[in-house]
Amino acid sequence: MSSSPKVLFGFHAVGVRLKTAPKSVLEVFFDVSRRDARMRQFTDRAREAGVRLIESDGLRLAKMCGSHGHQGVVARVDAVSQVTSLDELLEQLEAAGIAQPLLLVLDGVTDPHNLGACLRVADGAGAQAVIAPKDHAAGINAIVAKVASGAAETVPYFMVTNLARTLNELKERNIRCIGTSDDAEKTIYDMDLTGPVALILGAEGEGMRQLTRKTCDELVSIPMRGAVESLNVSVASGVCLYEALRQRSTQVVQAASATP
């Protein structure tokens, strides 16, 4: 699993770290020229957490994080303790009695903005992890953390050596591997997404690699009614994950109503 970035930037990314692991925040640099309510609330929260605040300016902050999208906030952080392997995570889920894990698998997603957006969607839908191959995939960096708006801190991201082998290992654990493809006959809405499921999405345009596609248990498509041929991978991830969440929520409601 990739380690946490040494630099976080943006209100969401730094704010989540202050909330979840304040002791890991070494210091926060903030743009002293920003005197709006949002900045005042943020610096008050940092002071309450006992974090060292350093006055700075926009240019210095941009140099620190390599982006002008810092919103006036950059933090230096230590890595936080996280689950170190997919196997360890799955064992923990089993021990916790989570019988229906939901995983997101990304094959060939190299754009850090797309990865960050996928992590944010995965967090929102309650997915337990995001998985990607070590080759031809984006890793966690400050840009990913900024776009993820804190989800890079909450959703485990595992980069595996052999994605097809990992999918086979998931299937051995009775986790169904459902891939997305434009030419699949079934749509995501035709598929039962309750139970243990890994949803596999490929990079926009190219889609999944052939070996990944062949390893999937089933393939589904996302209905496209307009002129465009495909969705951005983060949008497609949202469609698929939230359909899984909808089905699982409906299942819980039905089970509760059936209980005498």
Side-chain angles (χ1 to χ4, degrees), residues 181-183 204-206 221-232 236:
S181 175
D182 294 340
D183 58 8
E204 185 178 356
E206 296 180 1
S221 61
I222 296 175
M224 302 296 295
R225 297 292 184 258
V228 298
E229 296 182 354
S230 63
L231 299 175
N232 174 277

Side-chain angles (χ1 to χ4, degrees), residues 62-109:
K63 289 181 178 179
M64 288 181 65
C65 65
S67 170
H68 289 283
H70 49 70
Q71 300 176 305
V73 174
V74 175
R76 289 182 59 249
V77 301
D78 278 333
V80 293
S81 177
Q82 294 176 315
V83 178
T84 58
S85 71
L86 179 58
D87 281 337
E88 182 182 350
L89 174 70
L90 294 174
E91 293 293 339
Q92 287 185 3
L93 294 177
E94 184 176 343
I98 298 175
Q100 301 187 79
L102 178 61
L103 309 174
L104 176 63
V105 181
L106 303 174
D107 188 19
V109 176

Side-chain angles (χ1 to χ4, degrees), residues 16-212:
V16 168
R17 178 60 76 90
L18 284 172
K19 181 179 179 180
T20 59
K23 291 183 179 180
S24 71
V25 182
L26 303 177
E27 52 195 7
V28 171
F29 297 78
F30 69 100
D31 188 345
V32 71
S33 68
R34 278 199 63 163
R35 296 184 174 86
D36 55 280
R38 190 177 190 186
M39 180 62 80
R40 289 198 299 273
Q41 292 171 359
F42 175 83
T43 53
D44 287 346
R45 190 191 315 172
R47 289 190 184 94
E48 290 173 3
V51 174
R52 180 188 179 200
L53 285 166
I54 301 175
E55 294 183 355
S56 189
D57 58 69
L59 181 60
R60 183 185 181 189
L61 297 179
K63 289 181 178 179
M64 288 181 65
C65 65
S67 170
H68 289 283
H70 49 70
Q71 300 176 305
V73 174
V74 175
R76 289 182 59 249
V77 301
D78 278 333
V80 293
S81 177
Q82 294 176 315
V83 178
T84 58
S85 71
L86 179 58
D87 281 337
E88 182 182 350
L89 174 70
L90 294 174
E91 293 293 339
Q92 287 185 3
L93 294 177
E94 184 176 343
I98 298 175
Q100 301 187 79
L102 178 61
L103 309 174
L104 176 63
V105 181
L106 303 174
D107 188 19
V109 176
T110 58
D111 187 323
H113 295 86
N114 279 339
L115 174 58
C118 286
L119 288 168
R120 186 172 184 175
V121 168
D123 178 271
Q128 281 83 21
V130 176
I131 304 165
K134 286 184 178 179
D135 296 330
H136 308 297
I140 300 292
N141 58 26
I143 293 175
V144 172
K146 167 64 167 57
V147 176
S149 297
E153 303 293 306
T154 59
V155 180
Y157 180 58
F158 299 104
M159 302 188 78
V160 299
T161 303
N162 188 313
L163 185 58
R165 183 170 63 210
T166 297
L167 295 182
N168 281 319
E169 291 171 353
L170 292 178
K171 291 195 288 186
E172 290 175 0
R173 290 178 176 267
N174 296 317
I175 298 175
R176 286 183 298 142
C177 294
I178 300 173
T180 56
S181 175
D182 294 340
D183 58 8
E185 293 183 5
K186 288 184 177 181
T187 74
I188 189 71
Y189 305 115
D190 299 323
M191 184 64 59
D192 179 3
L193 299 176
T194 60
V197 167
L199 293 166
I200 301 99
L201 288 89
E204 185 178 356
E206 296 180 1
M208 294 180 294
R209 291 172 294 176
Q210 281 300 314
L211 183 56
T212 304

